[in-house]
Amino acid sequence: MPVADSALRRSLLSLALGAFATLGLGPAARAGEVEVLHWWTSGGEARAAQALKASLQAKGHQWKDFAVAGGGGDAAMTVLKSRVVSGNAPAAAQIKGPALQEWAAEGVLASIDDVAKAEHWDEVLPKVVADIMKYKGSYVAVPVNVHRVNWLWVNTAAFKKAGANVPTTWDEFFTAAEALKKAGITPIAHGGQNWQDLTTFEAVVIGVGGADFYRKALVQLDPATLKSPTMEKALATFKRIKPYTDRNAAGRDWNLATAMVIRGEAGMQIMGDWAKGEFIAAGKQPGKDFICTPAPGTAKAFSFNIDSFAMFKLKSDANTRAQRDLAAAILSPEFQETFSLNKGSIPVRLGLKMDKFDDCAKASAKDFVDTARSGALVPSLAHGMAVPAAAEGAIKDVISQFWNSDKMSAKEAMDRLATAARTR
Ligand code: BGC
């Protein structure tokens, strides 16, 4: 009986579809998994990474965490290389600045222009940021936030105890350091890892020489500027900081150095505003428990560090869809706000309200715009924004050797810097 037969089949089919719908299997069939490589493992960073995971899961997809600990991301980049070489790239990886171009040139990144177009990225992103995310005119990465690197973090109670004033110049910085030392407080919390040494150094170079000098020396890598009297002064100032750090600084992670300032064991730290994420995660309030102030002499400059995720070519359609959903979610206004509130950064998307942000973030947002106009917005060398990875690595090594050596003169360091700058 064909009629009854087909009626039976239809009702069985609708029963089955109903069951799928009840179990939520319909959308799940379209759900995918996104493996995300990042190095956000400290307290504040982990809270921010959690927000990213939640926004992907809210779209019905699965998050596969691929966290490689190590501030600054050098360890993560080493692991990423071996995964890609073995043909097993993650869906998304935290890759920044000029390195995006290097990865794209290898042919392993996917164009995400479809998402960018649908979400109007060209309109909601500053052009300077959009350009970093594009390879040959196509988006291959999505920016997450903007970090300012040239900050000084101050423990208010420690400064009060020492009778020290928050410094705005390098002279005032060393006066404050002396006062803290006399009060039995470690003046500068530092972690002796090469990227942290370079983070401090680039702040000193901007503070001593100004933004134009920094750009000429550490972005354009001009040999004469790298060997100039101003560079010699910057190196001498940098080296003068070392005696104010403690004996256990070697190898210390940046967030443990921040914790020293949070606890008041140390008075100051020179670090990007991911450090603020640690203060916030520890329940501390800006302006009360701690103060954020531009690193000495750098109030009119902004060294930027933009976190971004590069998207790799994938074979599975479901995973590709999930990857695109992640890219779209990252630039949504809601995510932009939640993420930066935890991370210590500011949103990268233009035109968002800053009401929920603290004064450090508000100052950062204003200075980002002002310095873009004045020409004092500069890419951070220590955080992969300024030069290709090979030159950055070589410069990083020279600066650390200079910091750690009792014998290397500033003149010798300058010669070595000029050689390192030529590394390709
Ligand atoms: C990254 C930040 C991160 C910091 C410390 C920087 O290079 O851009 O997102 O919090 O390193 O790990």
Side-chain angles (χ1 to χ4, degrees):
M1 283 186 296
V3 176
D5 201 358
S6 73
L8 183 65
R9 259 202 232 139
R10 262 202 311 276
S11 66
L12 276 177
L13 188 66
S14 75
L15 254 180
L17 284 175
F20 267 89
T22 332
L23 291 170
L25 292 179
R30 296 205 327 269
E33 178 188 83
V34 187
E35 186 178 25
V36 185
L37 172 89
H38 62 94
W39 63 88
W40 291 331
T41 55
S42 76
E45 289 176 335
R47 281 162 52 136
Q50 181 57 37
L52 188 59
K53 178 177 173 182
S55 67
L56 179 75
Q57 287 172 335
K59 297 209 172 187
H61 301 300
Q62 274 172 31
W63 167 277
K64 191 170 174 201
D65 201 45
F66 184 5
V68 181
D74 288 343
M77 288 305 101
T78 307
V79 176
L80 177 64
K81 269 176 210 146
S82 66
R83 278 282 300 265
V84 178
V85 165
S86 62
N88 186 21
Q94 197 183 344
I95 300 178
K96 305 187 293 182
L100 283 168
Q101 305 299 314
E102 296 174 26
W103 280 102
E106 296 291 323
V108 288
L109 299 187
S111 160
I112 48 173
D113 277 344
D114 47 348
V115 188
K117 215 170 188 180
E119 303 285 330
H120 310 287
W121 288 3
D122 277 342
E123 284 105 85
V124 302
L125 289 176
K127 186 169 182 305
V128 47
V129 177
D131 287 348
I132 300 172
M133 305 300 141
K134 290 178 184 174
Y135 177 69
K136 296 192 174 158
S138 281
Y139 280 96
V140 291
V142 53
V144 186
N145 60 349
V146 179
H147 275 300
R148 185 181 196 171
V149 183
N150 57 313
W151 282 115
L152 179 73
W153 305 93
V154 165
N155 179 298
T156 321
F159 264 56
K160 204 165 170 213
K161 185 174 166 209
N165 296 320
V166 176
T168 59
T169 64
W170 285 104
D171 283 345
E172 289 174 10
F173 175 87
F174 290 112
T175 307
E178 268 306 309
L180 288 160
K181 192 174 155 194
K182 286 214 179 78
I185 299 164
T186 299
I188 319 291
H190 184 67
Q193 296 175 347
N194 63 4
W195 71 272
Q196 294 186 63
D197 299 340
L198 191 58
T199 299
T200 299
F201 180 65
E202 78 177 35
V204 174
V205 172
I206 301 171
V208 169
D212 286 344
F213 174 80
Y214 169 86
R215 189 181 291 111
K216 233 175 157 194
L218 298 184
V219 183
Q220 293 161 3
L221 304 178
D222 173 55
T225 312
L226 285 170
K227 295 210 247 179
S228 62
T230 307
M231 184 52 86
E232 191 170 355
K233 193 172 167 207
L235 283 161
T237 308
F238 171 62
K239 204 60 193 278
R240 230 181 118 192
I241 299 172
K242 193 166 180 224
Y244 294 104
T245 63
D246 69 324
R247 283 171 184 208
N248 299 323
R252 177 187 285 135
D253 287 332
W254 69 272
N255 55 316
L256 300 182
T258 309
M260 291 168 67
V261 184
I262 291 175
R263 289 193 299 264
E265 286 165 32
M268 311 182 259
Q269 183 185 19
I270 296 168
M271 187 50 66
D273 44 19
W274 44 94
K276 195 183 72 187
E278 300 302 298
F279 282 96
I280 302 294
K284 302 293 177 191
Q285 273 181 41
K288 182 172 163 271
D289 305 307
F290 70 97
I291 288 168
C292 58
T293 186
T298 72
K300 292 204 167 71
F302 190 121
S303 72
F304 69 88
N305 169 23
I306 294 163
D307 284 314
S308 49
F309 281 101
M311 300 298 171
F312 282 82
K313 286 180 182 160
L314 299 175
K315 289 190 192 99
S316 143
D317 285 348
N319 292 352
T320 304
R321 263 195 304 272
Q323 178 197 52
R324 304 302 154 104
D325 280 355
L326 179 72
I330 286 175
L331 277 175
S332 71
E334 305 74 38
F335 174 77
Q336 285 284 303
E337 182 179 87
T338 314
F339 183 85
S340 272
L341 283 172
N342 286 302
K343 190 70 169 61
S345 48
I346 55 171
V348 68
R349 187 184 169 115
L350 294 167
L352 295 184
K353 285 213 184 97
M354 293 294 289
D355 318 17
K356 290 202 187 139
F357 286 86
D358 56 38
D359 289 345
C360 305
K362 283 182 182 140
S364 186
K366 181 181 180 302
D367 291 348
F368 184 66
V369 175
D370 290 353
T371 54
R373 278 198 200 112
S374 71
L377 180 65
V378 289
S380 164
L381 173 67
H383 294 278
M385 303 304 299
V387 303
E392 179 191 323
I395 294 173
K396 200 146 54 181
D397 286 346
V398 173
I399 292 305
S400 276
Q401 283 158 10
F402 177 65
W403 176 262
N404 290 311
S405 155
D406 294 332
K407 299 197 186 76
M408 198 190 298
S409 67
K411 283 221 157 64
E412 186 184 342
M414 291 195 291
D415 286 340
R416 290 199 192 192
L417 272 182
T419 309
R422 291 198 297 269
T423 311
R424 292 289 173 268

